[in-house]
Amino acid sequence: MENFLELANKRESCRKFDGRPVSREDLLKCVEAARLAPSACNSQPWKFIIVDDPALKTELCRAAFSAPYTASWPEKAGAIVVVISESGSFASKIGNLVRDTRYYLIDVGIAVEHFILQAAELGLGTCWMGWFNEKRVKKVLGLPSASRVDIIVPVGYPENKEPRRKIRKGIEETYKFNK
Ligand SMILES: Cc1cc2nc3c(=O)[nH]c(=O)nc-3n(C[C@H](O)[C@H](O)[C@H](O)COP(=O)(O)O)c2cc1C
């Protein structure tokens, strides 16, 4: 990979995997990239549960993506990464209240994108997924019912090697200098 813009362009949502497993070494490189992400008050409010056991992966996918969240393609990913959002440090919670925002979601978003960009650099496909049955995911993984899972990321080898054209607003709609 030559430079960051090339990597950002290469990353796209992959919804067709070829079924090959992903090595733990590569998965851990992605976790390492996520671990280096910044977070409000450095609270690092995330945990990555990586499901690469084939039987558990199938069970998880069927629970997560059953109607009305239907999707069968994640089953062909080599691993399913379930991201637990933790509520952040005391200081960041105070920040949430004062600013009426949810810093932990911003933090988790940055960490997941680090994960995903590292995956793209390794030639792996990923897809951000926010549409799934959270209750059933927690049940399959034995997570406490009070825990939060906001994002799931299937990771695997893309079937299609040709990059898609990015559909985005024009750059002129995206920025302003000064006021
Ligand atoms: C927070 C978030 C949640 C998403 N949830 C889903 C999802 O549940 N299912 C899905 O197929 N794609 C999901 N996507 C992928 C978007 O549809 C995709 O990123 C967008 O259309 C741009 O396409 P690209 O990722 O290929 O550049 C999600 C993306 C984000 C950032």
Side-chain angles (χ1 to χ4, degrees):
M1 193 58 56
E2 298 261 300
N3 60 40
F4 180 74
L5 267 184
E6 248 184 72
L7 179 62
N9 247 307
K10 180 177 175 187
R11 190 232 43 94
E12 63 184 18
S13 294
C14 174
R15 300 184 182 88
K16 250 189 189 170
F17 296 100
D18 70 6
R20 276 188 290 156
V22 178
S23 75
R24 287 195 170 179
E25 192 191 346
D26 280 356
L27 289 164
L28 288 177
K29 271 189 198 156
C30 299
V31 174
E32 176 60 3
R35 190 180 73 86
L36 297 174
S39 56
C41 306
N42 202 19
S43 61
Q44 304 162 67
W46 49 67
K47 198 77 88 216
F48 292 79
I49 311 291
I50 303 167
V51 177
D52 64 354
D53 174 82
L56 184 61
K57 182 163 60 78
T58 304
E59 187 187 348
L60 174 65
C61 285
R62 295 191 180 165
F65 308 115
S66 51
Y69 307 95
T70 314
S72 56
W73 54 266
E75 281 187 42
K76 284 193 83 183
I80 304 289
V81 179
V82 173
V83 185
I84 301 182
S85 317
E86 296 172 346
S87 56
S89 63
F90 180 70
S92 94
K93 280 189 202 150
I94 298 289
N96 290 344
L97 286 175
V98 175
R99 287 275 291 108
D100 188 24
T101 190
R102 282 186 283 174
Y103 287 109
Y104 75 91
L105 280 180
I106 299 173
D107 299 337
V108 167
I110 298 168
V112 171
E113 189 63 5
H114 273 210
F115 184 106
I116 277 177
L117 287 169
Q118 177 60 73
E121 212 252 344
L122 292 167
L124 292 164
T126 55
C127 187
W128 279 86
M129 295 193 77
W131 184 242
F132 57 85
N133 190 324
E134 183 183 5
K135 211 169 164 184
R136 293 183 68 180
V137 165
K138 290 194 283 197
K139 193 161 177 229
V140 168
L141 298 181
L143 297 169
S145 57
S147 60
R148 287 200 58 118
V149 177
D150 293 298
I151 287 296
I152 290 182
V153 183
V155 186
Y157 288 95
E159 206 165 72
N160 181 12
K161 306 282 185 274
E162 288 306 307
R164 279 194 311 270
R165 192 176 64 83
K166 289 258 186 296
I167 300 164
R168 295 294 189 267
K169 291 179 188 170
I171 193 164
E172 63 292 342
E173 289 180 75
T174 308
Y175 75 94
K176 289 260 189 290
F177 283 119
N178 304 317
K179 290 192 178 177

mmCIF file of all heavy atoms in Angstrom, residues 92-119:
data_model
loop_
_atom_site.group_PDB
_atom_site.id
_atom_site.type_symbol
_atom_site.label_atom_id
_atom_site.label_comp_id
_atom_site.label_asym_id
_atom_site.label_seq_id
_atom_site.Cartn_x
_atom_site.Cartn_y
_atom_site.Cartn_z
ATOM 1 N N SER A 92 -15.024 10.705 31.099
ATOM 2 C CA SER A 92 -15.718 10.818 29.810
ATOM 3 C C SER A 92 -17.229 10.789 30.003
ATOM 4 O O SER A 92 -17.976 11.397 29.238
ATOM 5 C CB SER A 92 -15.210 9.794 28.796
ATOM 6 O OG SER A 92 -15.963 8.628 28.777
ATOM 7 N N LYS A 93 -17.700 10.109 31.075
ATOM 8 C CA LYS A 93 -19.151 10.128 31.355
ATOM 9 C C LYS A 93 -19.604 11.534 31.767
ATOM 10 O O LYS A 93 -20.680 11.982 31.383
ATOM 11 C CB LYS A 93 -19.485 9.138 32.471
ATOM 12 C CG LYS A 93 -19.576 7.718 31.983
ATOM 13 C CD LYS A 93 -20.116 6.852 33.100
ATOM 14 C CE LYS A 93 -19.743 5.425 32.895
ATOM 15 N NZ LYS A 93 -19.581 4.676 34.119
ATOM 16 N N ILE A 94 -18.755 12.221 32.543
ATOM 17 C CA ILE A 94 -19.079 13.602 32.924
ATOM 18 C C ILE A 94 -19.156 14.448 31.643
ATOM 19 O O ILE A 94 -20.074 15.248 31.451
ATOM 20 C CB ILE A 94 -18.007 14.182 33.890
ATOM 21 C CG1 ILE A 94 -17.968 13.372 35.191
ATOM 22 C CG2 ILE A 94 -18.238 15.668 34.170
ATOM 23 C CD1 ILE A 94 -19.143 13.543 36.099
ATOM 24 N N GLY A 95 -18.177 14.217 30.763
ATOM 25 C CA GLY A 95 -18.169 14.919 29.470
ATOM 26 C C GLY A 95 -19.455 14.670 28.692
ATOM 27 O O GLY A 95 -20.042 15.585 28.115
ATOM 28 N N ASN A 96 -19.935 13.421 28.716
ATOM 29 C CA ASN A 96 -21.193 13.087 28.015
ATOM 30 C C ASN A 96 -22.326 13.967 28.525
ATOM 31 O O ASN A 96 -23.134 14.496 27.754
ATOM 32 C CB ASN A 96 -21.615 11.638 28.299
ATOM 33 C CG ASN A 96 -20.709 10.619 27.648
ATOM 34 O OD1 ASN A 96 -19.938 10.941 26.749
ATOM 35 N ND2 ASN A 96 -20.802 9.377 28.094
ATOM 36 N N LEU A 97 -22.385 14.084 29.867
ATOM 37 C CA LEU A 97 -23.490 14.826 30.479
ATOM 38 C C LEU A 97 -23.403 16.310 30.129
ATOM 39 O O LEU A 97 -24.381 16.915 29.701
ATOM 40 C CB LEU A 97 -23.456 14.658 32.012
ATOM 41 C CG LEU A 97 -23.911 13.300 32.530
ATOM 42 C CD1 LEU A 97 -23.713 13.216 34.039
ATOM 43 C CD2 LEU A 97 -25.387 13.083 32.188
ATOM 44 N N VAL A 98 -22.193 16.856 30.285
ATOM 45 C CA VAL A 98 -22.035 18.301 30.067
ATOM 46 C C VAL A 98 -22.297 18.658 28.607
ATOM 47 O O VAL A 98 -22.972 19.626 28.293
ATOM 48 C CB VAL A 98 -20.617 18.750 30.506
ATOM 49 C CG1 VAL A 98 -20.381 20.219 30.177
ATOM 50 C CG2 VAL A 98 -20.428 18.498 31.995
ATOM 51 N N ARG A 99 -21.773 17.833 27.709
ATOM 52 C CA ARG A 99 -21.872 18.158 26.270
ATOM 53 C C ARG A 99 -23.059 17.490 25.584
ATOM 54 O O ARG A 99 -23.254 17.660 24.388
ATOM 55 C CB ARG A 99 -20.577 17.723 25.559
ATOM 56 C CG ARG A 99 -19.375 18.589 25.847
ATOM 57 C CD ARG A 99 -19.328 19.810 24.924
ATOM 58 N NE ARG A 99 -19.057 19.439 23.552
ATOM 59 C CZ ARG A 99 -19.935 19.466 22.543
ATOM 60 N NH1 ARG A 99 -21.168 19.849 22.747
ATOM 61 N NH2 ARG A 99 -19.580 19.126 21.333
ATOM 62 N N ASP A 100 -23.818 16.669 26.327
ATOM 63 C CA ASP A 100 -24.940 15.937 25.761
ATOM 64 C C ASP A 100 -24.516 15.165 24.506
ATOM 65 O O ASP A 100 -25.096 15.305 23.430
ATOM 66 C CB ASP A 100 -26.103 16.895 25.448
ATOM 67 C CG ASP A 100 -27.352 16.115 25.030
ATOM 68 O OD1 ASP A 100 -27.467 14.941 25.409
ATOM 69 O OD2 ASP A 100 -28.202 16.682 24.308
ATOM 70 N N THR A 101 -23.460 14.369 24.665
ATOM 71 C CA THR A 101 -22.989 13.544 23.550
ATOM 72 C C THR A 101 -22.641 12.176 24.106
ATOM 73 O O THR A 101 -22.761 11.949 25.310
ATOM 74 C CB THR A 101 -21.795 14.223 22.838
ATOM 75 O OG1 THR A 101 -21.522 13.519 21.640
ATOM 76 C CG2 THR A 101 -20.556 14.264 23.694
ATOM 77 N N ARG A 102 -22.279 11.253 23.239
ATOM 78 C CA ARG A 102 -21.880 9.930 23.730
ATOM 79 C C ARG A 102 -20.481 9.647 23.198
ATOM 80 O O ARG A 102 -20.316 9.066 22.141
ATOM 81 C CB ARG A 102 -22.901 8.874 23.295
ATOM 82 C CG ARG A 102 -24.138 8.941 24.172
ATOM 83 C CD ARG A 102 -25.101 7.836 23.860
ATOM 84 N NE ARG A 102 -25.847 8.116 22.650
ATOM 85 C CZ ARG A 102 -26.685 7.281 22.057
ATOM 86 N NH1 ARG A 102 -26.862 6.076 22.552
ATOM 87 N NH2 ARG A 102 -27.328 7.612 20.966
ATOM 88 N N TYR A 103 -19.499 10.109 23.969
ATOM 89 C CA TYR A 103 -18.113 9.986 23.510
ATOM 90 C C TYR A 103 -17.730 8.536 23.260
ATOM 91 O O TYR A 103 -16.943 8.254 22.369
ATOM 92 C CB TYR A 103 -17.149 10.620 24.518
ATOM 93 C CG TYR A 103 -17.215 12.130 24.507
ATOM 94 C CD1 TYR A 103 -17.785 12.832 25.562
ATOM 95 C CD2 TYR A 103 -16.722 12.848 23.418
ATOM 96 C CE1 TYR A 103 -17.859 14.217 25.534
ATOM 97 C CE2 TYR A 103 -16.800 14.231 23.382
ATOM 98 C CZ TYR A 103 -17.369 14.912 24.442
ATOM 99 O OH TYR A 103 -17.441 16.276 24.399
ATOM 100 N N TYR A 104 -18.289 7.607 24.045
ATOM 101 C CA TYR A 104 -17.845 6.213 23.876
ATOM 102 C C TYR A 104 -18.190 5.690 22.478
ATOM 103 O O TYR A 104 -17.451 4.877 21.917
ATOM 104 C CB TYR A 104 -18.411 5.301 24.984
ATOM 105 C CG TYR A 104 -19.857 4.954 24.841
ATOM 106 C CD1 TYR A 104 -20.244 3.811 24.136
ATOM 107 C CD2 TYR A 104 -20.852 5.757 25.379
ATOM 108 C CE1 TYR A 104 -21.577 3.480 23.993
ATOM 109 C CE2 TYR A 104 -22.196 5.442 25.235
ATOM 110 C CZ TYR A 104 -22.556 4.308 24.530
ATOM 111 O OH TYR A 104 -23.870 3.995 24.370
ATOM 112 N N LEU A 105 -19.281 6.213 21.897
ATOM 113 C CA LEU A 105 -19.618 5.747 20.545
ATOM 114 C C LEU A 105 -18.635 6.304 19.512
ATOM 115 O O LEU A 105 -18.291 5.619 18.540
ATOM 116 C CB LEU A 105 -21.044 6.158 20.181
ATOM 117 C CG LEU A 105 -22.148 5.286 20.755
ATOM 118 C CD1 LEU A 105 -23.513 5.795 20.315
ATOM 119 C CD2 LEU A 105 -21.984 3.822 20.318
ATOM 120 N N ILE A 106 -18.208 7.542 19.743
ATOM 121 C CA ILE A 106 -17.175 8.115 18.853
ATOM 122 C C ILE A 106 -15.901 7.283 18.989
ATOM 123 O O ILE A 106 -15.282 6.886 17.994
ATOM 124 C CB ILE A 106 -16.900 9.590 19.219
ATOM 125 C CG1 ILE A 106 -18.172 10.423 19.039
ATOM 126 C CG2 ILE A 106 -15.741 10.147 18.395
ATOM 127 C CD1 ILE A 106 -18.067 11.864 19.519
ATOM 128 N N ASP A 107 -15.541 6.968 20.245
ATOM 129 C CA ASP A 107 -14.318 6.191 20.508
ATOM 130 C C ASP A 107 -14.381 4.820 19.825
ATOM 131 O O ASP A 107 -13.424 4.391 19.168
ATOM 132 C CB ASP A 107 -14.134 5.973 22.017
ATOM 133 C CG ASP A 107 -13.993 7.281 22.791
ATOM 134 O OD1 ASP A 107 -13.610 8.292 22.179
ATOM 135 O OD2 ASP A 107 -14.274 7.270 24.003
ATOM 136 N N VAL A 108 -15.491 4.155 19.993
ATOM 137 C CA VAL A 108 -15.636 2.818 19.398
ATOM 138 C C VAL A 108 -15.564 2.928 17.874
ATOM 139 O O VAL A 108 -14.927 2.110 17.201
ATOM 140 C CB VAL A 108 -16.959 2.157 19.864
ATOM 141 C CG1 VAL A 108 -17.296 0.927 19.029
ATOM 142 C CG2 VAL A 108 -16.859 1.772 21.337
ATOM 143 N N GLY A 109 -16.178 3.977 17.335
ATOM 144 C CA GLY A 109 -16.145 4.178 15.880
ATOM 145 C C GLY A 109 -14.718 4.326 15.371
ATOM 146 O O GLY A 109 -14.345 3.728 14.359
ATOM 147 N N ILE A 110 -13.929 5.098 16.087
ATOM 148 C CA ILE A 110 -12.525 5.300 15.641
ATOM 149 C C ILE A 110 -11.769 3.969 15.713
ATOM 150 O O ILE A 110 -11.056 3.584 14.779
ATOM 151 C CB ILE A 110 -11.813 6.360 16.508
ATOM 152 C CG1 ILE A 110 -12.507 7.714 16.386
ATOM 153 C CG2 ILE A 110 -10.349 6.478 16.101
ATOM 154 C CD1 ILE A 110 -12.050 8.733 17.434
ATOM 155 N N ALA A 111 -11.944 3.252 16.830
ATOM 156 C CA ALA A 111 -11.206 1.989 17.008
ATOM 157 C C ALA A 111 -11.609 0.976 15.930
ATOM 158 O O ALA A 111 -10.763 0.281 15.366
ATOM 159 C CB ALA A 111 -11.455 1.428 18.410
ATOM 160 N N VAL A 112 -12.899 0.913 15.652
ATOM 161 C CA VAL A 112 -13.355 -0.058 14.639
ATOM 162 C C VAL A 112 -12.803 0.325 13.271
ATOM 163 O O VAL A 112 -12.369 -0.536 12.498
ATOM 164 C CB VAL A 112 -14.901 -0.167 14.633
ATOM 165 C CG1 VAL A 112 -15.387 -0.999 13.453
ATOM 166 C CG2 VAL A 112 -15.392 -0.773 15.937
ATOM 167 N N GLU A 113 -12.771 1.618 12.969
ATOM 168 C CA GLU A 113 -12.231 2.007 11.653
ATOM 169 C C GLU A 113 -10.723 1.708 11.577
ATOM 170 O O GLU A 113 -10.223 1.297 10.529
ATOM 171 C CB GLU A 113 -12.550 3.475 11.351
ATOM 172 C CG GLU A 113 -12.231 3.906 9.929
ATOM 173 C CD GLU A 113 -13.032 3.201 8.814
ATOM 174 O OE1 GLU A 113 -13.938 2.397 9.101
ATOM 175 O OE2 GLU A 113 -12.713 3.456 7.634
ATOM 176 N N HIS A 114 -10.001 1.888 12.683
ATOM 177 C CA HIS A 114 -8.583 1.467 12.678
ATOM 178 C C HIS A 114 -8.494 -0.024 12.336
ATOM 179 O O HIS A 114 -7.675 -0.445 11.518
ATOM 180 C CB HIS A 114 -7.948 1.680 14.061
ATOM 181 C CG HIS A 114 -7.373 3.053 14.279
ATOM 182 N ND1 HIS A 114 -6.301 3.292 15.105
ATOM 183 C CD2 HIS A 114 -7.734 4.258 13.789
ATOM 184 C CE1 HIS A 114 -6.020 4.590 15.112
ATOM 185 N NE2 HIS A 114 -6.882 5.203 14.334
ATOM 186 N N PHE A 115 -9.337 -0.814 13.002
ATOM 187 C CA PHE A 115 -9.353 -2.270 12.774
ATOM 188 C C PHE A 115 -9.574 -2.556 11.278
ATOM 189 O O PHE A 115 -8.853 -3.335 10.643
ATOM 190 C CB PHE A 115 -10.479 -2.879 13.621
ATOM 191 C CG PHE A 115 -10.576 -4.380 13.575
ATOM 192 C CD1 PHE A 115 -10.164 -5.152 14.657
ATOM 193 C CD2 PHE A 115 -11.080 -5.032 12.450
ATOM 194 C CE1 PHE A 115 -10.255 -6.542 14.617
ATOM 195 C CE2 PHE A 115 -11.175 -6.419 12.402
ATOM 196 C CZ PHE A 115 -10.758 -7.175 13.493
ATOM 197 N N ILE A 116 -10.584 -1.883 10.760
ATOM 198 C CA ILE A 116 -11.022 -2.150 9.388
ATOM 199 C C ILE A 116 -9.976 -1.700 8.360
ATOM 200 O O ILE A 116 -9.743 -2.375 7.351
ATOM 201 C CB ILE A 116 -12.399 -1.467 9.190
ATOM 202 C CG1 ILE A 116 -13.487 -2.405 9.740
ATOM 203 C CG2 ILE A 116 -12.657 -1.068 7.757
ATOM 204 C CD1 ILE A 116 -14.888 -1.849 9.695
ATOM 205 N N LEU A 117 -9.335 -0.577 8.622
ATOM 206 C CA LEU A 117 -8.305 -0.103 7.683
ATOM 207 C C LEU A 117 -7.091 -1.025 7.702
ATOM 208 O O LEU A 117 -6.491 -1.311 6.668
ATOM 209 C CB LEU A 117 -7.919 1.344 7.998
ATOM 210 C CG LEU A 117 -8.990 2.374 7.597
ATOM 211 C CD1 LEU A 117 -8.661 3.740 8.187
ATOM 212 C CD2 LEU A 117 -9.130 2.477 6.080
ATOM 213 N N GLN A 118 -6.742 -1.518 8.897
ATOM 214 C CA GLN A 118 -5.640 -2.485 8.964
ATOM 215 C C GLN A 118 -6.013 -3.758 8.195
ATOM 216 O O GLN A 118 -5.192 -4.331 7.476
ATOM 217 C CB GLN A 118 -5.298 -2.818 10.423
ATOM 218 C CG GLN A 118 -4.203 -3.866 10.561
ATOM 219 C CD GLN A 118 -2.884 -3.442 9.926
ATOM 220 O OE1 GLN A 118 -2.186 -2.590 10.449
ATOM 221 N NE2 GLN A 118 -2.547 -4.030 8.776
ATOM 222 N N ALA A 119 -7.260 -4.165 8.340
ATOM 223 C CA ALA A 119 -7.724 -5.351 7.605
ATOM 224 C C ALA A 119 -7.592 -5.112 6.099
ATOM 225 O O ALA A 119 -7.092 -5.972 5.361
ATOM 226 C CB ALA A 119 -9.174 -5.674 7.986
#
